[in-house]
Amino acid sequence: MLRMSPERLDRFMARANAAYYGSRDPFADFTTAPEITQIFGEIFGLWCAVVWQAMGRPSPVVLAEAGPGRGTLMADALRAVRATAADFGNALAVHLIETSPRLRELQALAVPEATWHHALEHMPPRPLLLVANEFLDALPVRQFVRRGQTWSERYVAGGALIERPAEPPQPILDKAAVLEGPMFEISETAIAFTAGLARHLARHGGAAVFIDYGPAEPSAGDSLQAIREKQAANPFTDPGSADLTAHVDFPTLADTAKRAGAAVYGPVPQGIFLTRLGLLQRTDRLARGQKPARAMALITAARRLIEPGQMGRLFKVMGLCHPGLPMLPGFEE
Ligand code: SAH
């Protein structure tokens, strides 16, 4: 629905994405790593099993995912865990954080034993292992524009962007003090999610990984984009018809998590992380004994995730954990 009265960009984006994920099959518009190869979810399942060992094998433990899409990553993770880490499989309970009723139905087909929550705050107060792939990029952003000494904020009205004078929040002022450029973004929703997660990990134990795209260094600029049917679309004209995303601000989220009491590792490029965790070896093992066309498809899929010119460099992995845990796997220098 097009609104004529100005709506702050983050509120517009939240409304547009709620409509989008509530009504469309996002996977017609874009392809995510777990949909490219089963090995992606398997690796994160085994990563959780290894970290669970390092945590002292708590039982029960929560295995959670935020924004699970079709549930593919979690289904692949559970299969790998049950095949090779049965103790962890017996100790875990699966919890999914998902707001879209439509996607919850798909997730229930892939992961029937799951329990669903609208927000992290509703998760049980237990040790936690959480994975979030392409979740944070879907959370709403605010955009501020600097001209000389004055600031304005972007709103959407009648399908177009407008600006209104505004005072930016402190994290924007901090970035603007050291970075050039007129445009700065902030996702207060991503910051609140990360702070809540870090508090949970510091209090109840555990670890989490974010896999998403965005720069590893503090940055300025407008990264909002809309994707419809794998093409860039206008984000403002038809809310709910396209997936709206923005780059994840890893440096700000790392600071947030540390201040909330968690240890933080990375971000490291996805290609390096997956290579360290044995993506190529697993692909090789799986490809052996397959028909040539299937073996080739597995290898092409693995390359897509790790090659720098494909998803290997733009996508990054950041780890958060209880400060008493040893270095998380995949983040060793
Ligand atoms: N992780 C999946 C899907 C990514 S799409 C994959 O890699 O394929 C983003 C996911 O986050 C969708 O499941 C969407 O419904 C969910 N989502 C978006 N905003 C959310 C919010 N505020 N709270 C919980 N889930 C949200």
Side-chain angles (χ1 to χ4, degrees):
M1 192 185 59
L2 228 53
R3 290 196 185 164
M4 299 315 290
S5 58
E7 188 175 19
R8 215 171 73 184
L9 179 64
D10 58 330
R11 295 186 185 134
F12 170 84
M13 186 172 169
R15 184 167 68 85
N17 271 351
Y20 176 76
Y21 288 109
S23 67
R24 317 236 325 177
D25 176 9
F27 300 94
D29 294 315
F30 57 90
T31 310
T32 56
E35 305 294 332
I36 293 173
T37 173
Q38 68 184 72
I39 296 173
F40 189 80
E42 291 171 0
I43 282 185
F44 283 100
L46 298 178
W47 185 90
C48 289
V50 171
V51 177
W52 177 73
Q53 300 275 352
M55 286 160 65
R57 305 162 59 94
S59 179
V61 62
V62 171
L63 176 61
E65 185 177 355
R70 282 180 176 157
T72 308
L73 187 159
M74 185 56 82
D76 291 338
L78 289 171
R79 193 184 51 251
V81 164
R82 299 219 157 104
T84 56
D87 292 355
F88 177 49
N90 292 331
L92 66 82
V94 180
H95 290 258
L96 301 177
I97 301 168
E98 175 61 68
T99 41
S100 158
R102 201 165 166 278
L103 289 177
R104 282 186 182 202
E105 280 177 25
L106 286 182
Q107 292 155 18
L109 298 176
V111 192
E113 73 264 49
T115 304
W116 280 264
H117 305 278
H118 276 98
L120 183 73
E121 295 75 63
H122 306 139
M123 300 264 285
R126 299 228 172 95
L128 171 68
L129 288 154
L130 179 137
V131 178
N133 183 59
E134 290 207 51
F135 165 69
L136 297 168
D137 67 11
L139 300 180
V141 292
R142 298 173 72 181
Q143 289 183 335
F144 290 87
V145 187
R146 169 168 67 180
R147 284 192 194 80
Q149 297 304 307
T150 64
W151 284 94
S152 57
E153 179 166 12
R154 282 181 149 181
Y155 285 68
V156 181
L161 277 175
I162 62 161
E163 286 180 23
R164 290 179 146 187
E167 196 48 46
Q170 195 58 43
I172 297 265
L173 294 172
D174 293 346
K175 263 208 273 190
V178 292
L179 291 174
E180 305 267 324
M183 170 75 69
F184 294 87
E185 287 177 346
I186 184 168
S187 176
E188 288 165 337
T189 316
I191 290 172
F193 178 85
T194 304
L197 176 61
R199 279 194 298 271
H200 185 116
L201 298 175
R203 197 156 157 209
H204 305 293
V209 263
F210 295 153
I211 311 106
D212 229 307
Y213 57 103
E217 303 302 327
S219 62
D222 170 8
S223 75
L224 183 71
Q225 62 166 359
I227 299 287
R228 185 186 304 135
E229 288 157 15
K230 304 197 161 68
Q231 305 279 323
N234 183 321
F236 309 117
T237 44
D238 190 5
S241 70
D243 179 44
L244 302 193
T245 61
H247 285 179
V248 170
D249 182 352
F250 285 108
T252 296
L253 298 184
D255 284 350
T256 301
K258 283 178 203 159
R259 246 178 280 148
V264 177
Y265 296 103
V268 302
Q270 168 175 293
I272 292 177
F273 186 87
L274 292 176
T275 304
R276 284 179 183 158
L277 291 179
L279 177 88
L280 293 170
Q281 290 85 339
R282 289 189 70 78
T283 302
D284 191 48
R285 222 173 304 145
L286 194 64
R288 250 180 258 158
Q290 306 275 347
K291 298 218 169 82
R294 167 87 182 126
M296 202 53 224
L298 284 165
I299 292 162
T300 305
R303 284 213 186 117
R304 190 162 162 199
L305 297 187
I306 61 177
E307 281 182 0
Q310 302 201 52
M311 293 168 78
R313 183 159 41 215
L314 179 60
F315 280 81
K316 307 207 170 54
V317 186
M318 188 166 92
L320 279 59
C321 66
H322 185 281
L325 279 183
M327 158 82 73
L328 297 172
F331 295 100
E332 312 82 2
E333 278 314 313

